[in-house]
Amino acid sequence: MPYPVIRVAIVSLCLVATSCGAETTVIRNPLRHDRDDEAVRISLPEEATTVVVRAGDQVLPHQIETWADRPELWTRVTVPAESAVEISAQPGPASPVSPDPLWIREQDRVIELGNDLITLRIPATTAWQAGQPPPPPVLAIGQTDGPWLGQGGWRAAPTCTGYRATIIGRGPVQISILQEWTFADGGHLRLRLRLRPGRPEAIIEERFDQLGEAAWTFDAAHGWTPQDSLYTQHGGGAGRPFSSNVKEGTLLPGQTRMGHTLVHLLPRWSQAMDDGWCAAAADDQFAVGAVTVRAGQWQWPHDARLGIELADGGNQMLIVAPLQRGARMWWLRAAPREAWQTGALRGAQQRWGMGCLDKLNQLYILDWPEVGGRAGLPDPFDGGNVNPTGHWRQQARGQRRETGRPGNIGHLIRLQAILDPDYYGTPLYGWSTQNPNFWTDVLQVPALLATRVTAHPRFEEIRHLVHLALRLDLHHGITLPGGAGQECPGYQAHAHQVWARTAEAVEEHLGFDLREDERYQAGLDFLIRSSQPDGTQRRMLPTGDTHPGRDGPRVMELGDHDPRTWTSEEFPGFGAILRHRCGSPQETFVAFKAGPNRGHYHGDQLAIHWCHEAQPLAVDHHCSYSPRAGQEHMHNRLSFGTEQMPWANMDGYERLIALTTTDAADIAIAEVASTRLRRMRQLPPEEWDQRWDVQPLGGTLRYRRALILVKVLDRDVLILVDDWQGPQALDVTFNLHVRAEDGQAPDPQRFRFDQDLSVWRARPDQAVLNRLDWRHENGGGEATVGLRWTHNAASGRFLTVLWPGPELPPISATDTGLRLADVSVNLAAPFADDGPQVVISRGGSTLAQVDSVDKDRHQGEAGLFVPDAGYP
């Protein structure tokens, strides 16, 4: 057995206990640190109402409380590092224990409780009468024998139909109180509050649903005069899984890009500067605030995250706990200021949050009697780097060399720790996988570790756990139908490489083949079918942060695919690809980024990447990060600006709302919307700073693009219909980046790129011409001529024709669209949703038509994706 078991005369006790219906529990400590006086659950003898609890000849404090209609026996125990303690519970009269530091009393419709460090006030059942507003969960907190601090309240309080506070546990281990609210229309809130000896926080666990915009609040600065804020930001934590970057600020708003909101609190590392672990109001000696813990106890966490709001007077720190749906676990904490600093707080989170012994012994497999080995629980619980990029890939390379070799208890515990929802969250509970490739890199390690524990008696449970995690990764990384990734093609390809390597090891040792999964196959198919032509070869689509090779985007191996059979098609989540004469030297290829998948995409909502005669022409630059062209005006789309913010992104999630394809013409329509602009630099690199300067627009800016590919003239022609509608006049710019050496404007409505492309603007009548030429050296280099036509208006339409050739055919604008040679294009008014939207006709015959748009059109079976750093 890997743990030394501390028995201390336990043998005689067990002999007696067995004959008297006793229950014996082994509490294991796999951690590298001693755990002193920690609360754990142990087995309760059947039908016992009072028990004697011992570790050897030592009588332990204990209590019985009922939770979920089941009695639970709690005790406090000390377990040295990497060892175990046997505890027996025997029916009998409770033995006296040391004086209890916990106390509780009820008076004047208030329940007061405390330990040796803090006191709390919560409303008693009698605090609510019919017709009254709901009482807040916590009224105040304070130090023992000190004044009451803070004040509870509500925001958008729902109509309360009932409130009850029930003491479900009181004794030497903990005080447990269940608070229950019912509200009109079926909404509910259940909150369990716990207080334990020696801890300066109340443990709060909540479940809530159907409460809309309601939130309960706690003003940590009320009733005293704190002047500082202490808070963390995940993005500043260098990948550490616990608070390692406590910042000191003031109680005045404006310290972060969110104005009056200082930070949002979530108990999981991410890249986001908007989110953090904890926040507190502080004076020189003391601090009161919130610490979020245990991601596995949160549901729909991105909806349920705590907001920390400041006031203009510098006299408030409001903890806002939204109640739309979900669950969360956190601490309301009152402690000396130094206990909020990095080392002390991180130690508390590790001990009482991630690695508490009760959780480990209830949820982990901690024993392997036949196999020795060090059992200490490594990262993430000991504070290593959770940022799953190079650090984790290096770990995977090391484990790959050990695949299938006999392992030990340390390997078994480590793989469970990495799969623990408290560590990285799980999409089963509504956690985003962040950048999906992060989770893919993380999951390599436990999957490879699992190949080393096949001899464990409970291996089938481990096998099932790993299988579930890998399938979840595929589910939330690949969109069906079509196989488009949540991330850009280059990062999706990276994920497939990891899945393939992992699958080889897993198939041999765990008995299932990840490569047979529908999403795996669809994802590979998408990477090939979305490839762009480049002469006689095909290359990966360069959109987003797709890294090029030395001479440009990666050359794609087609396998048994025949591009000559490909036609225009939708890839839900990504958008659409329009084609003509695919696989030939005359191929036309237009990728339209018109779906809401945003992972490692940047500034390219509704942008196009156009290849003519099997060569890239109007392009999405293949610069990736060198330098990162995250500006919307660096893509082939409209961009928006103001006098105060001339270079800006609107951001938003684009949606494909109509698609029609025929042999003669293809029509795709998509839309994106935003309520603000975000400041950008004029030229790459994009400023990758999560404290962006934003400008609210006072309403919604809508941008809709209809992309029309006409395939019946002597060359394929692109027609772009770009409509916008906003609450104020904006500088609206039509941007086109073309591989060319130079260009010129023969007249105010035309622009000619060398001899390759002519552009004609039918609408608006007036626009200011500018150039934004650019080049980069990544992937062999790339140079483009940038056409910019700018018009100032609150709403309007850019109608442009892109003709691949030096001279335009006969062309003219009409009241409802335009005429190009003998082809007519009739368009609906901007943002009309019903009736014919686009009609392409020739000689009285309709070539293609979109009858209406569907703003609720299905965007694919996509997983969860919540952007943080590098995204809006």
Side-chain angles (χ1 to χ4, degrees):
M1 193 173 206
Y3 304 90
V5 179
I6 301 172
R7 287 187 170 85
V8 192
I10 201 73
V11 176
S12 60
L13 172 65
C14 288
L15 291 174
V16 175
T18 301
S19 63
C20 300
E23 291 283 349
T24 299
T25 304
V26 177
I27 298 298
R28 295 177 170 85
N29 177 12
L31 305 171
R32 297 170 184 167
H33 309 289
D34 297 346
R35 305 308 288 268
D36 299 323
D37 204 27
E38 187 160 342
V40 295
R41 282 170 288 179
I42 60 174
S43 297
L44 176 66
E46 189 173 350
E47 298 184 0
T49 56
T50 60
V51 293
V52 178
V53 177
R54 293 188 177 92
D57 57 1
Q58 179 186 6
V59 176
L60 300 181
H62 64 276
Q63 67 190 67
I64 298 173
E65 60 184 56
T66 299
W67 181 249
D69 298 323
R70 183 178 63 188
E72 295 181 339
L73 175 56
W74 287 85
T75 189
R76 300 204 317 255
V77 63
T78 294
V79 188
E82 299 186 64
S83 63
V85 169
E86 285 188 0
I87 304 173
S88 75
Q90 181 177 347
S95 300
V97 295
S98 58
D100 185 358
L102 299 171
W103 58 268
I104 185 170
R105 59 177 176 260
E106 181 176 346
Q107 59 184 8
D108 298 329
R109 300 188 296 173
V110 170
I111 297 174
E112 295 183 354
L113 60 154
N115 61 15
D116 45 336
L117 297 176
I118 64 169
T119 54
L120 286 157
R121 302 185 81 200
I122 68 171
T125 302
T126 53
W128 179 83
Q129 302 295 327
Q132 292 182 341
V138 179
L139 301 172
I141 193 171
Q143 290 179 286
T144 300
D145 300 326
W148 290 111
L149 309 176
Q151 184 178 56
W154 284 86
R155 174 176 293 175
T159 301
C160 186
T161 58
Y163 169 74
R164 179 174 61 183
T166 305
I167 300 171
I168 58 175
R170 59 193 306 172
V173 179
Q174 61 195 3
I175 297 172
S176 299
I177 300 176
L178 175 63
Q179 296 172 272
E180 299 172 283
W181 293 256
T182 56
F183 302 98
D185 302 324
H188 67 270
L189 166 63
R190 300 180 79 227
L191 185 151
R192 179 169 62 181
L193 183 145
R194 281 179 167 158
L195 188 65
R196 290 173 175 161
R199 294 185 54 181
E201 62 263 337
I203 305 167
I204 294 175
E205 299 168 90
E206 302 175 77
R207 302 287 185 270
F208 42 87
D209 196 16
Q210 299 183 47
L211 292 174
E213 299 301 315
W216 73 272
T217 63
F218 188 81
D219 183 0
H222 181 82
W224 59 310
T225 56
Q227 66 277 1
D228 298 329
S229 60
L230 308 176
Y231 65 102
T232 60
Q233 292 175 308
H234 289 320
R240 292 290 178 177
F242 303 102
S243 296
S244 56
N245 61 331
V246 177
K247 298 179 180 295
E248 297 185 2
T250 70
L251 293 181
L252 291 171
Q255 298 173 73
T256 63
R257 73 185 182 104
M258 296 181 289
H260 284 76
T261 298
L262 178 69
V263 68
H264 294 286
L265 301 188
L266 281 171
R268 182 195 70 174
W269 173 86
S270 73
Q271 297 179 105
M273 299 293 288
D274 291 351
D275 296 337
W277 292 94
C278 66
D283 62 15
D284 293 340
Q285 303 296 323
F286 199 66
V288 175
V291 181
T292 53
V293 294
R294 296 197 58 184
Q297 297 300 307
W298 289 58
Q299 294 179 6
W300 297 115
H302 306 282
D303 295 331
R305 63 184 183 174
L306 300 176
I308 303 298
E309 297 183 5
L310 307 178
D312 291 334
N315 58 352
Q316 172 187 284
M317 177 178 279
L318 200 64
I319 303 168
V320 181
L323 298 173
Q324 177 184 355
R325 60 173 180 173
R328 61 180 163 248
M329 183 174 179
W330 58 287
W331 300 339
L332 180 60
R333 198 165 197 256
R337 181 169 178 145
E338 59 267 21
W340 288 85
Q341 298 306 314
T342 296
L345 187 57
R346 180 171 162 225
Q349 288 174 307
Q350 289 175 336
R351 177 177 179 182
W352 304 117
M354 292 282 285
C356 65
L357 290 188
D358 180 65
K359 177 192 107 170
L360 297 180
N361 281 269
Q362 293 287 332
L363 301 180
Y364 277 51
I365 301 171
L366 296 176
D367 61 329
W368 197 347
E370 295 84 8
V371 180
R374 190 178 186 199
L377 194 64
D379 298 343
F381 291 82
D382 283 350
N385 193 316
V386 68
N387 186 341
T389 50
H391 169 76
W392 281 86
R393 294 169 192 167
Q394 179 61 38
Q395 290 189 60
R397 284 190 287 270
Q399 288 300 328
R400 208 170 290 120
R401 292 190 290 268
E402 305 294 323
T403 298
R405 295 184 180 182
N408 56 45
I409 188 68
H411 300 106
L412 175 67
I413 294 175
R414 176 162 174 72
L415 77 87
Q416 293 176 89
I418 298 169
L419 294 176
D420 187 340
D422 281 348
Y423 174 51
Y424 203 75
T426 169
L428 286 173
Y429 301 161
W431 282 100
S432 163
T433 59
Q434 300 187 72
N435 285 348
N437 75 88
F438 281 5
W439 208 37
T440 302
D441 283 330
V442 165
L443 292 181
Q444 295 179 84
V445 176
L448 294 169
L449 286 168
T451 71
R452 306 190 62 185
V453 299
T454 57
H456 193 278
R458 296 174 66 180
F459 168 70
E460 189 59 30
E461 297 171 57
I462 296 297
R463 175 188 177 278
H464 182 72
L465 188 65
V466 171
H467 193 186
L468 175 63
L470 293 175
R471 289 193 62 203
L472 280 171
D473 187 23
L474 277 166
H475 181 86
H476 293 276
I478 300 295
T479 302
L480 291 180
Q486 285 276 11
E487 298 185 282
C488 70
Y491 276 84
Q492 182 178 348
H494 165 77
H496 274 281
Q497 290 174 339
V498 175
W499 290 327
R501 288 195 299 260
T502 304
E504 292 176 5
V506 164
E507 181 187 18
E508 179 181 356
H509 298 281
L510 274 63
F512 60 85
D513 190 351
L514 196 66
R515 294 163 293 192
E516 296 177 352
D517 190 283
E518 178 185 14
R519 280 181 161 80
Y520 182 89
Q521 296 292 335
L524 287 179
D525 191 66
F526 168 77
L527 290 174
I528 295 172
R529 294 177 70 90
S530 64
S531 61
Q532 61 167 327
D534 186 14
T536 59
Q537 59 191 357
R538 301 193 77 83
R539 293 181 180 270
M540 183 175 287
L541 193 63
T543 52
D545 293 327
T546 295
H547 307 330
R550 291 185 177 181
D551 63 347
R554 184 186 314 178
V555 175
M556 300 297 295
E557 299 293 335
L558 301 183
D560 57 0
H561 285 263
D562 183 358
R564 293 172 299 178
T565 66
W566 297 350
T567 58
S568 300
E569 60 186 319
E570 176 184 1
F571 292 100
F574 171 82
I577 294 178
L578 309 185
R579 319 177 193 269
H580 190 211
R581 297 185 290 261
C582 195
S584 76
Q586 293 76 42
E587 176 175 350
T588 296
F589 170 98
V590 190
F592 187 26
K593 184 61 186 74
N597 291 7
R598 297 302 312 156
H600 275 281
Y601 289 104
H602 46 74
D604 49 17
Q605 295 92 330
L606 310 192
I608 63 168
H609 178 85
W610 178 25
C611 301
H612 172 69
E613 293 185 344
Q615 296 287 344
L617 184 55
V619 298
D620 196 296
H621 300 101
H622 61 238
C623 53
S624 185
Y625 292 112
S626 302
R628 194 174 199 252
Q631 294 91 336
E632 290 174 0
H633 59 265
M634 295 303 299
H635 297 268
N636 299 314
R637 53 164 291 175
L638 294 192
S639 61
F640 304 87
T642 65
E643 183 178 354
Q644 300 83 9
M645 199 173 283
W647 307 98
N649 281 10
M650 66 178 289
D651 300 314
Y653 290 86
E654 67 275 36
R655 300 176 65 86
L656 189 68
I657 57 179
L659 178 66
T660 293
T661 65
T662 71
D663 291 340
D666 299 331
I667 307 167
I669 305 176
E671 184 173 317
V672 66
S674 177
T675 60
R676 52 85 173 146
L677 299 179
R678 172 167 61 94
R679 187 182 304 278
M680 301 297 289
R681 295 175 56 179
Q682 178 182 4
L683 291 173
E686 169 195 10
E687 286 184 310
W688 200 343
D689 187 339
Q690 297 150 78
R691 291 154 288 189
W692 294 302
D693 181 15
V694 298
Q695 181 175 340
L697 296 174
T700 299
L701 169 63
R702 295 171 64 191
Y703 169 29
R704 179 179 292 183
R705 165 169 276 187
L707 172 62
I708 303 166
L709 174 62
V710 179
K711 301 181 280 190
V712 294
L713 300 175
D714 63 349
R715 63 194 65 196
D716 294 340
V717 59
L718 274 182
I719 301 171
L720 302 177
V721 186
D722 291 305
D723 298 329
W724 76 95
Q725 184 182 77
Q728 65 183 65
L730 299 169
D731 287 332
V732 183
T733 300
F734 173 87
N735 302 278
L736 194 66
H737 300 272
V738 176
R739 286 188 180 178
E741 294 297 326
D742 201 358
Q744 58 179 329
D747 61 56
Q749 289 185 280
R750 286 191 298 163
F751 192 89
R752 182 187 300 160
F753 295 87
D754 293 334
Q755 299 299 309
D756 298 319
L757 176 62
S758 297
V759 183
W760 183 69
R761 187 188 76 249
R763 297 281 186 270
D765 295 333
Q766 302 292 325
V768 177
L769 170 66
N770 281 290
R771 289 267 293 270
L772 189 61
D773 300 355
W774 191 63
R775 70 173 298 115
H776 66 88
E777 301 305 322
N778 201 18
E782 185 177 39
T784 56
V785 173
L787 164 63
R788 288 173 55 83
W789 274 321
T790 300
H791 179 73
N792 185 273
S795 60
R797 166 174 287 173
F798 269 94
L799 175 57
T800 51
V801 176
L802 281 57
W803 177 264
E807 297 296 335
L808 289 161
I811 189 168
S812 61
T814 66
D815 291 340
T816 59
L818 57 83
R819 185 171 180 84
L820 178 65
D822 60 346
V823 173
S824 295
V825 180
N826 291 309
L827 305 170
F831 296 101
D833 295 333
D834 298 322
Q837 300 294 299
V838 181
V839 180
I840 314 297
S841 59
R842 187 183 201 186
S845 298
T846 298
L847 302 179
Q849 177 173 334
V850 171
D851 293 323
S852 62
V853 299
D854 179 7
K855 288 182 286 187
D856 293 323
R857 193 172 189 273
H858 184 52
Q859 302 296 304
E861 296 178 18
L864 291 165
F865 176 69
V866 180
D868 46 44
Y871 299 99

